[in-house]
Amino acid sequence: VDLKECLPSAELISSSDGNFRVLEDGSVYTTSAVSLSAEKKTFTILLKDVKEHVQKKINVSLVEEEKKKTRHARDTVLKRTKRRWGPIPSVMLENSLGPFPLQIQQVQSDTAQNYTIYYSASGPGIDQDPKGLFYIERETGNIFATRAVDREQYPSFQIICFATTPDGYSPEVPLVHTIRIEDDNDNAPYFTQEVFEFSVPENSKPGVFVGKLTAEDRDEPYTLHTTLKYRIVSQTPVTTPAYSLHSDSGVITVLSPQLDRELVPTYTLLVEVRDMAGQPFGLCTTGTVQIKIEDTNDNAPSFKQMHYETRVEENRVDVEILRVSVIDLDEPRSPGSGAVYEIIKGNDDRAFEITTDKNTNEGILCVVKGLDYESAKQRILVIAVNNEAPYMLAPHSQQLSQSTSSVTVNVLDVDEGPVFKPCLLRLEVKECEDIGTSIGRYLAEDPETGNSEGICYRIAPGQCNWISIDERSGEVRTVKVLDRDVGDMRRGQCNITVFAIDRNGKTGTGTIQVVIQPGNKNYPRITTTDYIMCRDRKPICLTAQDGDESPYSTPFVYRITDRSLASSWKITQHNDNSVYLSPKGDIPFGTYTIPVSVTDNGGKVGEQYVTVNYCDCVTPTECDGRTRQYAGANVTLGVWAILAMILGSLLLLLILITICGCCGSGVMHRQVTDDCANHNLIISNTEAPGEEVMDHNIIPLQNTNDQGGYGIKTGDQQTFEMVKGRGHTLESVKGGGQQTLGSVKEGGGQNMMDTCRYSYSEWHNFTHPRLGEKVHLCRQDEEQKHSEDYLLSYNYEGKGSLAGSVGCCSDQHEEEALDFLDQLEPKFRTLAETCIKR
């Protein structure tokens, strides 16, 4: 088996079956006689790498070799197979003392007499054994070694032996013979490092891991020759043992809880490793281990002095006045010894600040805000100190108590210039104030005297030029009319630096912040004043704008100032800046000029005229000057309007004459009953809403009126139906000598239609014979039974009925001509009788 391919670093090789043994080169041998049954023999080779904690398995299956079957034409010939020569592997002791040559093994063959070593190969890593190391006696087959062998150099050998007859014939297969070198404990173990360096925090508890020692031995693995044991020989400094060493694994752990870096910063251990499981007769080697104690913040800092005193001139800023230092036993320049200073008392006004000098670990006390001698001649501060790292209470240390120190700061008096109070004065002024308006006073005081006598005021050059200050009184006045829409005033404010000069020439500075408040200087204006209103009289939306800011802009108040127009027009509020303008009632078409006033939230009023062109149109684009003009109470009609009225009158007169002529030319003058519309049979080519049925038998009628008509062609005769504006009636024509519903006189080939409606009796006489036959034939089944709904009553539903066609005959499609109406059977007459007026 190939062990290197599976796990090259394997240190332990074993078999799950004791009947088999595996060598380091992958050779598998039987340790006892093994018989293979019909089932295959299986076992597992286990490979382990102890250092890397890796384990792998190789599954091996042994099956009986199948015998080759040879077919012969007539019979089977039995052949005798000789036993192969094969001695067991040989063992040679490493560093053997001889005497040499030393016999190792004897190989013999049943048929051969001469033996030679053709080639010999050594174990892993060696291509060929040293020349002359082994030889074989030609006559006896004895194998001899000529000298001692080092197992670490040659762990095993494989020798190929040949057996020949005196005439040179080789009756046997070459024999591969293995010679394994048995290990001798001739190598002492050694440490992988000359010095092992570890570290552990101080005050660590017993059992804390420190480090692990590693050693190696070149002797045969997994034997007593390579079974190592570790122990600590000595400890420096010689104190109570602080560490323990595990004899098998080489792991070092903390033994004593009294590890104090301030007492012992480093420990040195002399350690020993011995093979033969630590037995006294085993070989050993010593090594060195250095363990460094890492610092923890188990020592609190403390001030060297409990009280400091210093002095500083008043008004001095950003000046160092004192350095303080502390004592800390922890490791220098580490977080455990880095000092953090703070002022815990006497610095309510934040006039002092203390920082840490990283190089010296000192505290630097500075003045960051000028002190006033007149306010306080002496300041007392209390300073505390801590470390960057949090404090850790050690077994040998005491409870933490913060170290503090007091500092007395004496303030020295200095002649000072005037001081403005406050240093920043905010003044607010409204827009459009008159020139010279007083907006406030800005005064400075002498710190020594506490009054403003003898101090004069000036504005620094380059400031805004619309404010001035009185040199003696400090009164601030306007120089220009303030307007937020002009020049530098657009920003709305200006910061002015003012100088205060006393009698000694000492100068103090202050700042005036002038803020311009928005004023009501603009009146609201309607953005659009010309509108067109069509006959739908949709309200007009009026929108105003005001250049002022809140609270002098919206909401706006609209009002119609003309009383006469206010009675016919109204304003409805839409939002804060918009309203709707609409007429109150019916007004004539024309152009109206309406005065509208708009008042803003500040009370400023703006008045404008809104022009509304009330036009007879659908969309404003249709109105192009054709409307009548409105002027006072008179309405003037345009030329095109008069012409349109004349043409409309003539067209109406012509329609009336035509209607009267048609009604008077009929042959039959009939009185129409009031309820005849309710019993008429409606004929329509619309079978359902939205579904038009066009038939080739229906032809359009030409008529001069606005009504539309259609004719039904039935053979040689025509029947016409007349459709009126708001209802349907049945019309008829005479032709072919047959009686039809209604009549039309034929003169010159022109049909004249009677537009009058017919009575029920006339309709009954026309439809009775035809509908009777239709009912008889409608929906008869195989047993000649009539439809169940043919006696139902039908009534006139009016125009645009959404019900559609109903009844048993509604889905019948007639393909024959319309002459069947002349032969209606009695069944259809029954349907007609249901329509008799009750």
Side-chain angles (χ1 to χ4, degrees), residues 732-749:
S732 63
V733 296
K734 291 182 179 181
Q738 294 183 353
Q739 183 180 1
T740 60
L741 184 59
S743 62
V744 177
K745 293 183 179 181
E746 298 182 3

Side-chain angles (χ1 to χ4, degrees), residues 90-106:
S90 302
V91 177
M92 178 181 176
L93 182 63
E94 180 186 14
N95 303 320
S96 176
L97 299 179
F100 295 100
L102 178 66
Q103 182 178 353
I104 302 301
Q105 183 62 274
Q106 181 182 17

Side-chain angles (χ1 to χ4, degrees), residues 304-372:
K304 292 182 178 180
Q305 295 180 220
M306 300 304 296
H307 179 75
Y308 296 89
E309 186 172 358
T310 185
R311 60 182 182 177
V312 63
E313 295 179 354
E314 64 175 334
N315 302 323
R316 293 287 302 274
V317 180
D318 296 331
V319 58
E320 178 184 329
I321 61 175
L322 182 66
R323 279 181 174 256
V324 296
S325 58
V326 294
I327 299 174
D328 198 322
L329 299 179
D330 292 319
E331 185 177 1
R333 300 182 183 274
S334 68
S337 64
V340 178
Y341 301 91
E342 61 176 336
I343 302 173
I344 61 175
K345 189 176 179 181
N347 192 30
D348 297 336
D349 58 351
R350 305 293 180 184
F352 299 92
E353 184 180 86
I354 188 168
T355 58
T356 303
D357 188 340
K358 296 298 182 181
N359 297 324
T360 62
N361 209 31
E362 293 178 325
I364 304 174
L365 183 63
C366 299
V367 178
V368 295
K369 186 186 295 184
L371 303 177
D372 187 7

Side-chain angles (χ1 to χ4, degrees), residues 744-805:
V744 177
K745 293 183 179 181
E746 298 182 3
Q750 181 129 3
N751 296 334
M752 298 298 294
M753 295 189 60
D754 191 349
T755 60
C756 297
R757 305 184 68 176
Y758 302 104
S759 65
Y760 169 74
S761 60
E762 293 170 336
W763 179 86
H764 180 268
N765 293 334
F766 174 75
T767 59
H768 188 272
R770 293 168 175 80
L771 295 180
E773 182 180 359
K774 186 66 176 178
V775 172
H776 179 73
L777 298 175
C778 180
R779 281 293 179 96
Q780 289 185 352
D781 54 15
E782 296 178 355
E783 298 178 359
Q784 301 299 318
K785 291 183 179 181
H786 297 267
S787 174
E788 296 179 357
D789 61 350
Y790 71 94
L791 290 178
L792 297 178
S793 176
Y794 293 86
N795 199 359
Y796 177 73
E797 296 181 352
K799 180 183 178 181
S801 174
L802 298 178
S805 300

Side-chain angles (χ1 to χ4, degrees), residues 525-659:
R525 297 182 60 86
I526 300 175
T527 56
T528 304
T529 57
D530 293 331
Y531 297 93
I532 296 176
M533 179 182 290
C534 291
R535 58 172 174 262
D536 59 356
R537 299 197 303 178
K538 184 178 180 180
I540 297 170
C541 184
L542 302 180
T543 303
Q545 292 182 351
D546 194 328
D548 298 322
E549 297 180 1
S550 180
Y552 302 109
S553 56
T554 57
F556 298 136
V557 178
Y558 293 78
R559 190 173 65 88
I560 299 176
T561 57
D562 191 296
R563 293 185 177 180
S564 61
L565 292 176
S567 62
S568 58
W569 293 84
K570 64 179 180 179
I571 289 177
T572 306
Q573 191 70 28
H574 174 50
N575 53 32
D576 288 347
N577 61 341
S578 300
V579 294
Y580 289 119
L581 177 65
S582 60
K584 291 183 178 180
D586 294 335
I587 60 174
F589 295 107
T591 302
Y592 297 86
T593 302
I594 305 171
V596 179
S597 67
V598 184
T599 305
D600 61 16
N601 196 37
K604 204 155 191 175
V605 182
E607 185 173 348
Q608 290 177 270
Y609 287 92
V610 177
T611 303
V612 180
N613 187 358
Y614 183 32
C615 179
D616 187 8
C617 59
V618 178
T619 60
T621 56
E622 299 176 4
C623 190
D624 54 356
R626 294 177 295 157
T627 59
R628 292 169 290 182
Q629 303 297 324
Y630 179 88
N634 299 326
V635 178
T636 304
L637 299 180
V639 177
W640 290 104
I642 297 174
L643 182 59
M645 294 175 62
I646 295 174
L647 293 177
S649 300
L650 294 176
L651 180 60
L652 180 61
L653 180 60
L654 179 61
I655 294 173
L656 293 176
I657 294 173
T658 304
I659 294 174

Side-chain angles (χ1 to χ4, degrees), residues 780-831:
Q780 289 185 352
D781 54 15
E782 296 178 355
E783 298 178 359
Q784 301 299 318
K785 291 183 179 181
H786 297 267
S787 174
E788 296 179 357
D789 61 350
Y790 71 94
L791 290 178
L792 297 178
S793 176
Y794 293 86
N795 199 359
Y796 177 73
E797 296 181 352
K799 180 183 178 181
S801 174
L802 298 178
S805 300
V806 296
C808 64
C809 305
S810 60
D811 60 348
Q812 298 297 313
H813 298 279
E814 298 294 336
E815 298 180 357
E816 66 274 11
L818 299 179
D819 54 358
F820 68 92
L821 294 176
D822 298 330
Q823 293 86 23
L824 296 178
E825 292 188 0
K827 292 182 179 180
F828 220 112
R829 297 192 192 100
T830 304
L831 176 62

Side-chain angles (χ1 to χ4, degrees), residues 104-252:
I104 302 301
Q105 183 62 274
Q106 181 182 17
V107 294
Q108 289 183 345
S109 174
D110 295 341
T111 58
Q113 298 178 0
N114 299 328
Y115 304 94
T116 59
I117 298 177
Y118 176 74
Y119 176 80
S120 63
S122 66
I126 306 298
D127 294 335
Q128 188 173 357
D129 68 292
K131 293 181 180 181
L133 180 58
F134 298 99
Y135 69 92
I136 189 170
E137 287 184 348
R138 183 177 181 84
E139 295 80 7
T140 63
N142 292 326
I143 301 174
F144 294 92
T146 60
R147 61 180 183 273
V149 180
D150 185 3
R151 193 205 66 84
E152 286 71 39
Q153 186 176 6
Y154 305 107
S156 65
F157 296 90
Q158 287 181 344
I159 300 174
I160 303 175
C161 303
F162 290 86
T164 60
T165 58
D167 57 357
Y169 173 69
S170 298
E172 302 287 350
V173 178
L175 172 67
V176 179
H177 183 64
T178 300
I179 302 176
R180 189 176 66 85
I181 307 302
E182 185 176 351
D183 182 52
D184 181 26
N185 189 20
D186 58 345
N187 294 283
Y190 60 92
F191 286 104
T192 56
Q193 297 178 223
E194 294 183 1
V195 178
F196 290 90
E197 296 181 353
F198 305 114
S199 62
V200 63
E202 64 176 330
N203 304 317
S204 295
K205 296 181 180 180
V208 174
F209 177 82
V210 178
K212 181 180 180 181
L213 304 179
T214 56
E216 296 179 355
D217 196 320
R218 297 180 59 189
D219 291 323
E220 184 176 1
Y222 311 109
T223 63
L224 285 175
H225 298 167
T226 55
T227 302
L228 308 179
K229 294 288 184 178
Y230 302 90
R231 73 182 183 92
I232 297 176
V233 178
S234 63
Q235 171 185 302
T236 304
V238 180
T239 58
T240 303
Y243 304 95
S244 64
L245 176 60
H246 194 274
S247 60
D248 293 329
S249 63
V251 174
I252 301 175

Side-chain angles (χ1 to χ4, degrees), residues 674-702:
D674 294 337
D675 59 347
C676 66
N678 293 333
H679 302 280
N680 285 350
L681 180 62
I682 301 171
I683 298 179
S684 173
N685 64 333
T686 301
E687 296 183 351
E691 180 180 1
E692 288 292 329
V693 179
M694 302 304 297
D695 196 298
H696 65 278
N697 292 320
I698 299 177
I699 59 176
L701 284 178
Q702 301 295 333

